């Protein structure tokens, strides 16, 4: 096989460059003479046209920003109540309400301020100074003053200050068209290796020069650069969080029923009672007294504790996660993590180690030639391959490939573990070394075996070059192509085998890969078991992404990022493709952002993990942005959660903890909404129909005692779902209304039994009736306090209440508060206007409350079992729900048709198999008959021969 037989030479590895065409007007500005540069006048003119090379800031008025946190349904209710308190001169309640409002605003303002640091972190990745040709001289200039057309010098270690086109000219002005730079742009594009860029290639702002030096001409600056567009995506991503939307929906529901009912009560109390004909006076109350009545009801009805309980629950969860090296920057991200159904994960540095590692190599036979690959039949082994590669590696080189080879050899080769000096090779001495250069594309060492005195040369380099050096090697070429097809980087190793040191023999091919982290595959498996679909998103090549996906146990349905911008398909078709795919390759920040956006448009809650600048926009856009260990400042600032431990394994802990927290919050919300509906419905009807109310102090005692007690829900035990949690607002509000309505009926049963069966407030003289009415008010207080409160033992789980045992602290506090309420009612408390009702009524009401919570638990389970999205869509048919319902019905019909066809196909297959089996049996029977016939004939012949003998 000759040197020019190119079929046996592997193809050179290529990098797919991210490029975009420049506008003709901009291209015309890039004709600067390299060693002259721009003049000061040209720079000023272009600064005016394009602006400085920096990411612009959009600062909002911080005071107005703070005031915006006093908006929202629950805040409006609290503000209305505070205003009424001020009108009535009820300053203690006014102070409490104002404190709650300010506390909520401060927390929200603090959380929002964290997001603004993402842009600042991006700016910190930009170079501050650079070398540029101005007025014919190479001078140092501020990077912010660069303009398109500036000629800059890039050297080893420089941060590229702006997007620029490499000119193929050395810093001193010599033409070097074959020269190239090694540029690390992993933080920008997610590529696991530094990329080789030559004349005409684009070097992106904020990437780092790892090898070489060259002049370049600035093409884009500021917000128009690759990193600038990422910053722009962050600045335009300012969506309301999922949790805030849920709270607002609940708040809007409660504000609607609360205000409508208290306003009706107010006008009836003020103007609607009419005249007392016997006394000749009005039954109407003065405006202030009527206002005081509705104020007390409003304060008791408003779920003042809702934001507080939610915040405390999430804060406790954040503390638990911090012990597992998961730092929560935005508390509401805990709730949203419980609902995440898709986790988009960056590959490089997140699923993988972000460092090259030695993989299974190709090993040649000793004594092989270009025509005889078998040689002596004995193969070189890993030890020999790595030893020769180590000899041909440059000591102290920072190149990632050289570093990977030397690290693998030092870890695996036994003789290297015995070396004394850092670069010694026991038993050998390197007498000459030729470093890598872009023309030869290999390194070479001349080595002496100190034991035998043998001298030989060993080389390591690009596979096509090494194959040519050994005179061609088809087996090695096939091995390289197989490795390349799986995305592995290959390096050829050969050594001389003759005394003249001119004849090279193939030793083997080293394969290198950025390996998956040890826990990534298990984490993906556990995420799948929790109902979370993991998608791998990377800027690396498609074949590399597929190989990593295979090693992680994922399906290999990885698509090129071009599938996200296919103009031949509409957005729905592209979204379907995104949902079905297991990942994407060759992505840029806009692509990652687009994937998250499309999934969210389909109603999915999306988590995004990443570590680089290129991940920052998608981290900000996602419902839950997760920055992994070792991330850049930009990624950390844009994220909601930061992992301090390496890999993704802690995400599983985070998901489980967040789902437990979600169950606690949902159970509290269900309990609190049902309690509010019960409270409002009962007093709305009792005041208007029976002119019955209970003392203001007892109403406030219900609100304070019960809301304070439910704070311990943060420490309750919780069942964790194996599927992503959802609020199911339609189900939540409907079930709350059903429970609240049934609670109202139970309370009215107590009222009617006490008033009409026992004559409380009805029998006796005026003094006895007044005494009986006070007793009835205390009985209703105890019932309204205890029965809804015990319901929380039911709402804390979606199934039967006994399936999950509540925590001891939770149980003691919840029951303890009601025991206190019972003793207040049994013995009375004059200061609270509670009249003593005795042991019979006290224990009786408590016993009924306990039995009723069990009855309501049955109702809850039945509703949850039979509730579906179809029920919600039909009970509350909003346009969005109708559209979603129609889509689900159409999808079901489509799947049903597919299943019918599938069953038909299965039937045909079974019939075909049966026919095949029948045919085989017939053929087998014919063969058996022929065998039997031959056996009989043979037996006759044997018998005949015996007789003749």
């Amino acid at each position: 096989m000759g040197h020019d037989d190119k079929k046996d030479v592997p193809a050179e590895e290529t990098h797919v460059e991210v490029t975009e065409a420049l506008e003709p007007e901009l291209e015309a500005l890039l004709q600067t003479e390299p060693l002259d540069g721009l003049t000061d006048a040209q720079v000023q003119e272009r600064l005016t046209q394009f602006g400085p090379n920096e990411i612009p800031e959009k600062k909002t008025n911080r005071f107005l920003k703070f005031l915006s946190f006093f908006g929202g349904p629950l805040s409006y209710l609290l503000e209305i109540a505070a205003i009424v308190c001020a009108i009535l001169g009820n300053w203690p309640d006014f102070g409490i309400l104002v404190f709650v409002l300010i506390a909520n605003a401060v927390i929200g303002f603090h959380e929002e301020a964290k997001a603004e640091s993402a842009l600042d972190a991006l700016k910190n990745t930009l170079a501050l100074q650079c070398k540029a040709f101005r007025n014919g001289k190479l001078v140092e200039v501020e990077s912010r003053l660069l303009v398109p057309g500036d000629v800059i010098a890039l050297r080893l270690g420089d941060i590229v200050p702006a997007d620029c086109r490499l000119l193929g000219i050395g810093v001193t002005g010599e033409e070097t068209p074959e020269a190239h730079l090694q540029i690390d742009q992993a933080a920008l594009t997610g590529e696991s290796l530094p990329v080789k860029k030559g004349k005409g290639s684009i070097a992106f702002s904020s990437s780092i020069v790892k090898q070489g030096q060259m002049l370049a001409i600035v093409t884009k600056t500021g917000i128009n650069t690759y990193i600038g567009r990422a910053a722009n995506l962050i600045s335009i991503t300012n969506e309301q969080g999922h949790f805030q939307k849920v709270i607002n929906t609940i708040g809007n529901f409660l504000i609607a029923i609360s205000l409508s009912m208290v306003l009706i009560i107010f006008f009836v109390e003020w103007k609607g009672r009419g005249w007392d004909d016997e006394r000749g006076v009005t039954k109407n109350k003065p405006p202030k007294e009527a206002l005081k009545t509705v104020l007390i009801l409003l304060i008791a009805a408003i779920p003042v504790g809702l934001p507080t309980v939610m915040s405390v629950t999430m804060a406790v969860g954040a503390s638990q996660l911090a012990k597992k090296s998961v730092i929560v920057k935005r508390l509401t991200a805990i709730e949203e993590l419980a609902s995440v159904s898709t986790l988009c994960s960056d590959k490089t540095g997140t699923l993988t180690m972000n460092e090259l590692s030695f993989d299974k190599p190709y090993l040649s036979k000793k004594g092989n030639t270009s025509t005889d690959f078998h040689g002596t039949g004995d193969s070189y082994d890993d030890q020999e391959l790595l030893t020769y590669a180590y000899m041909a590696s440059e000591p102290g080189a920072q190149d990632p490939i050289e570093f990977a080879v030397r690290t693998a050899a030092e870890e695996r080769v036994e003789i290297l573990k015995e070396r004394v000096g850092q670069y010694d090779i026991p038993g050998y001495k390197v007498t000459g070394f030729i470093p890598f250069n872009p023309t030869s594309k290999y390194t070479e060492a001349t080595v002496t075996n100190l034991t035998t005195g043998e001298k030989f040369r060993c080389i390591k380099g690009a596979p096509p070059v090494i194959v040519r050096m050994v005179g061609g090697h088809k087996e090695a070429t096939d091995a390289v192509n197989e490795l390349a097809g799986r995305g592995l980087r290959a390096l050829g190793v050969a050594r001389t085998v003759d005394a003249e040191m001119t004849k090279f023999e193939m030793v083997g091919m080293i394969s290198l890969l950025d390996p998956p982290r040890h826990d990534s595959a298990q984490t993906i498996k556990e995420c799948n078991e929790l109902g979370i679909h993991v998608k791998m998103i990377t800027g690396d090549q498609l074949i590399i992404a597929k190989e990593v996906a295979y090693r992680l146990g994922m399906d290999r349905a990885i698509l090129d990022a071009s599938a996200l911008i296919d103009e031949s398909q509409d957005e729905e078709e592209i979204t379907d493709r995104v949902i079905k795919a297991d990942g994407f390759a060759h992505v840029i920040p806009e692509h990652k952002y687009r994937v998250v956006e499309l999934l969210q448009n389909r109603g999915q809650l999306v988590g995004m993990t990443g570590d680089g600048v290129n991940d920052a926009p998608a981290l900000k856009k996602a419902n839950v942005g997760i920055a992994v260990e070792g991330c850049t400042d930009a990624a950390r600032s844009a994220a909601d959660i930061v992992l301090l431990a390496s890999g993704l394994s802690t995400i599983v802990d985070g998901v489980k903890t967040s789902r437990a927290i979600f169950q606690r919050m949902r159970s509290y919300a269900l309990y609190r909404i049902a309690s509010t509906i019960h409270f409002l419905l009962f007093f709305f009807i009792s005041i208007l129909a029976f002119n019955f109310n209970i003392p203001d102090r007892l109403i406030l005692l219900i609100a304070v005692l019960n809301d304070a007690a439910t704070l311990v829900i943060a420490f309750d035990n919780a069942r964790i779902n194996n599927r992503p949690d959802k609020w199911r607002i339609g189900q939540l509000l409907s079930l709350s209304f059903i429970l609240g309505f049934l609670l109202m009926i139970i309370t009215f049963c107590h009222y009617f039994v006490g008033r009409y069966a026992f004559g409380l407030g009805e029998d006796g003289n005026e003094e006895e009736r007044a005494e009986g009415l006070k007793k009835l008010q205390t009985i209703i207080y105890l019932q309204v306090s205890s029965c809804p409160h015990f319901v929380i033992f039911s709402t804390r789980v979606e199934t039967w209440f006994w399936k999950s045992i509540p925590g001891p602290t939770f149980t003691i506090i919840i029951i303890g508060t009601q025991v206190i309420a019972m003793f207040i009612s049994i013995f009375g408390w004059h200061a609270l206007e509670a009249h003593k009702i005795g042991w019979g009524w006290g224990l009786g009401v408590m016993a009924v409350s306990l039995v009723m919570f069990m009855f309501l638990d049955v109702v809850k389970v039945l509703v949850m079992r039979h509730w579906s999205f179809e029920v919600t869509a039909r009970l509350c048919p909003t346009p969005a729900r109708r559209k979603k319902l129609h889509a689900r019905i159409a999808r079901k019909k489509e799947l049903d048709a597919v299943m019918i066809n599938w069953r038909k196909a299965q039937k045909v297959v079974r019939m075909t198999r049966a026919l095949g089996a029948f045919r085989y049996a017939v053929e087998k029977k014919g063969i058996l008959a022929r065998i039997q016939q031959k056996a009989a004939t043979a037996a006759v012949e044997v018998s005949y021969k015996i007789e003749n003998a």
Side-chain angles (χ1 to χ4, degrees), residues 365-387:
K365 303 289 186 182
K366 294 180 179 178
N368 70 87
T369 66
S370 60
T371 56
D372 177 16
F373 307 133
H374 193 264
T376 64
D378 295 327
S379 291
Y380 285 101
D381 57 27
D382 289 4
Q383 297 272 316
E384 292 169 309
L385 176 69
L386 285 172
T387 300

Side-chain angles (χ1 to χ4, degrees), residues 527-597:
C527 283
N528 291 334
E529 291 171 352
L530 291 170
I532 300 174
H533 183 209
V534 180
K535 295 182 186 295
M536 181 172 66
I537 303 181
T538 177
D540 242 335
Q541 298 176 43
L542 184 61
I543 52 175
I544 295 176
K546 288 189 174 185
E547 176 67 17
V548 173
Y550 171 74
R551 295 186 180 212
L552 290 172
M554 301 172 64
D555 292 333
R556 298 180 64 178
I558 310 294
L559 302 180
D560 192 274
S562 59
L564 298 170
I565 49 174
D566 189 345
E567 296 180 358
S568 65
Q569 294 187 319
D570 60 27
E571 188 162 297
E572 288 298 313
E573 291 175 318
I574 294 175
T575 304
D576 287 337
R577 182 180 288 183
V578 169
I579 290 173
K580 293 174 184 176
D582 294 296
F584 295 89
H586 282 144
V587 298
I588 58 177
E590 288 91 336
H591 292 148
K592 294 188 178 187
Y593 187 94
R594 174 78 167 151
V595 169
V596 174
E597 183 178 47

Side-chain angles (χ1 to χ4, degrees), residues 315-328:
V316 170
S319 176
Q320 294 170 349
L321 288 172
K323 295 174 183 177
K324 299 177 180 179
S325 300
V326 179
I327 305 301
V328 178

Side-chain angles (χ1 to χ4, degrees), residues 328-365:
V328 178
K329 291 176 55 187
R330 179 173 62 88
L331 280 181
T332 55
I334 295 176
E335 176 271 339
E336 290 168 7
L337 182 59
S339 304
V340 164
S341 56
T342 300
L343 179 65
C344 297
S345 177
D346 176 51
K347 176 185 74 70
T348 307
T350 304
L351 294 173
T352 65
M353 300 291 292
N354 194 21
E355 58 184 38
L356 286 176
S357 179
F358 182 75
D359 204 71
K360 185 177 180 180
Y362 160 75
L363 298 169
S364 298
K365 303 289 186 182

Side-chain angles (χ1 to χ4, degrees), residues 730-770:
Q731 182 198 71
L732 177 69
L733 297 181
S734 300
L735 180 56
S736 298
F737 187 84
I738 292 170
L739 294 178
F741 184 79
L742 292 175
L743 284 166
M744 177 204 71
I745 292 175
I746 295 167
T747 305
F748 268 117
C749 288
H750 283 71
Y751 173 78
F752 289 131
V753 168
R755 185 151 198 170
Y756 299 113
F758 288 85
L760 298 176
E762 293 289 326
D763 298 341
N765 57 37
E766 186 174 342
E767 184 178 342
E768 289 173 339
R769 288 198 301 272

Side-chain angles (χ1 to χ4, degrees), residues 480-492:
V480 171
N481 291 335
E482 191 270 333
L483 292 172
R486 292 164 45 212
L488 276 70
R489 176 71 64 91
L491 280 178

Side-chain angles (χ1 to χ4, degrees), residues 8-301:
D8 294 341
V9 177
E12 294 275 6
E13 295 181 16
T14 58
H15 162 70
V16 180
E17 183 70 28
V18 178
T19 59
E20 56 183 26
L22 299 178
E23 299 173 359
E25 295 82 1
L26 181 58
E27 190 68 53
L29 298 176
L30 306 183
Q31 309 307 313
T32 310
E33 194 63 36
L35 298 182
D36 292 336
L38 299 176
T39 63
D40 291 339
Q42 289 174 312
V43 170
Q44 287 302 319
E45 181 183 344
R46 296 183 189 190
L47 272 175
T48 304
Q49 181 180 355
F50 296 100
N53 179 34
E54 59 186 7
I55 299 173
E57 296 184 67
K58 293 182 180 178
K59 293 290 185 181
T60 55
N61 186 292
R62 295 177 68 82
F63 179 69
L64 294 178
K65 190 73 168 176
F66 178 71
L67 290 181
S68 69
F69 289 95
F70 288 92
L74 290 177
S75 295
Y76 294 147
L77 270 178
L78 291 171
E79 287 157 12
I80 292 169
I83 292 170
V84 174
C85 284
I87 294 172
L88 297 175
N90 189 349
W91 299 114
D93 286 346
F94 174 82
I96 293 171
L97 293 171
V98 170
F99 173 78
V100 171
L101 281 166
I102 294 175
N104 287 340
V106 168
I107 292 171
F109 180 75
H110 176 68
E111 293 293 327
E112 186 76 17
K114 290 180 181 178
E116 294 180 2
S117 62
L119 286 176
D120 296 331
L122 274 173
K123 294 171 195 171
N124 292 337
T125 67
L126 302 175
L128 299 177
Q129 301 283 336
C130 66
K131 293 279 189 179
F133 279 95
R134 293 278 177 88
N135 304 308
K137 294 181 180 179
L138 185 63
V139 295
E140 189 171 270
V141 299
E142 289 186 54
S143 296
R144 62 182 297 274
L145 299 179
L146 288 178
V147 294
D150 257 324
V151 177
I152 58 175
L154 298 178
R155 292 186 172 94
L156 175 67
D158 284 351
I159 298 176
V160 180
D163 286 2
C164 55
R165 181 188 295 159
L166 302 182
L167 296 175
I169 299 175
V171 173
T172 55
E174 70 281 5
E175 290 275 351
T176 54
E178 296 298 321
H180 67 271
L181 301 181
Q182 289 279 356
I183 295 182
D184 182 358
Q185 54 187 38
L188 294 173
T189 64
E191 292 168 287
S192 53
L193 291 170
V195 296
K196 183 171 69 175
K197 299 199 176 194
K199 182 178 180 180
S201 297
I202 298 295
F204 296 125
S205 175
S206 294
S207 57
I208 303 170
V209 180
K210 289 293 187 181
Q211 189 180 73
Q213 53 88 22
M214 194 182 297
L215 295 182
I217 189 163
V218 174
T219 57
K220 292 185 177 181
T221 59
I223 202 68
N224 297 313
T225 61
Y226 188 93
I227 191 175
R229 295 199 301 273
N232 187 52
L233 286 174
I234 289 178
S235 65
I236 64 176
T237 304
N238 192 24
E239 298 181 352
Q240 189 181 51
H242 173 260
F243 180 71
Q244 193 58 46
K245 291 177 183 177
V246 171
I247 293 298
N248 285 347
T249 302
I250 295 173
N252 288 332
F253 175 76
L254 294 179
I255 197 172
I257 61 173
S258 299
L259 285 182
S260 58
M261 288 186 178
V262 297
L263 284 175
I264 292 172
I265 292 173
F266 172 74
F267 283 109
V268 169
E269 290 286 284
W270 180 28
K271 293 291 187 182
R273 292 295 183 187
W275 284 81
D276 186 336
D277 294 330
E278 293 181 4
R279 299 182 181 182
V281 295
T282 181
K283 295 179 182 177
N284 296 330
K285 293 182 179 179
K288 277 196 172 183
E289 191 174 335
L291 197 60
K292 184 180 179 182
T293 300
V294 299
L295 172 64
I296 300 301
L297 291 176
L298 188 62
I299 292 175

